Amino acid sequence: MSQLTGYRVLIAEDEALVALQLEEVVRDMGCEVVGPVSRLADLIARIEARDFDGALLDINLRGELVFDSLPRFRALGTPFIVTSGYDAKTLFPPDFRDAPRITKPFDEAALRRMCLEVFAKPSA
């Protein structure tokens, strides 16, 4: 049984094949997939619904950047990983330049490691 069994991961991704790949990886880790969502408005609605434990967030959803949603994740204490084709940290707002991030196209093993690092709760 995985450390993440039953963990609900929201996937925000507008490229269908990438979303499917992300779904496969998180399901293989024992997670439940929430979404995927491909529009910023749908992401905001999910944040307000609070029906997930962590998120994989593409920075650009159909031409809309998700940066304005990131403070809400932090305020709620919800961990997230940015999945981005953009590699330069300077493209990100200063407060989020050190947010967990994996560059697309991503290596599945690296994504698994990052999910465990960011989403797994420490043993008590």
Side-chain angles (χ1 to χ4, degrees):
M1 179 148 45
S2 167
Q3 287 178 282
L4 296 178
T5 298
Y7 194 88
R8 297 167 301 166
V9 177
L10 171 65
I11 296 176
E13 173 59 59
D14 61 351
E15 293 181 39
L17 292 177
V18 175
L20 288 171
Q21 187 179 18
L22 290 169
E23 285 183 60
E24 183 178 328
V25 170
V26 297
R27 280 198 175 109
D28 285 350
M29 296 181 73
C31 300
E32 295 176 27
V33 173
V34 178
V37 297
S38 62
R39 296 177 334 126
L40 183 58
D42 296 332
L43 173 61
I44 301 299
R46 285 292 190 170
I47 293 168
E48 295 311 313
R50 299 182 195 172
D51 62 351
F52 58 93
D53 304 307
L56 293 169
L57 304 171
D58 182 12
I59 284 301
N60 186 338
L61 296 176
R62 296 187 181 180
E64 294 182 287
L65 299 177
V66 302
F67 294 134
D68 289 343
S69 71
L70 299 182
R72 187 73 176 131
F73 281 95
R74 284 215 174 132
L76 293 171
T78 304
F80 62 89
I81 299 169
V82 173
T83 63
S84 175
Y86 307 117
D87 194 29
K89 279 187 171 188
T90 56
L91 296 174
F92 292 77
D95 289 348
F96 295 97
R97 288 185 182 156
D98 293 327
R101 180 167 50 108
I102 193 159
T103 304
K104 297 188 293 185
F106 56 84
D107 173 74
E108 285 188 26
L111 177 62
R112 289 173 192 273
R113 283 191 303 274
M114 184 165 288
C115 285
L116 283 171
E117 180 183 313
V118 174
F119 298 148
K121 295 177 178 57
S123 303

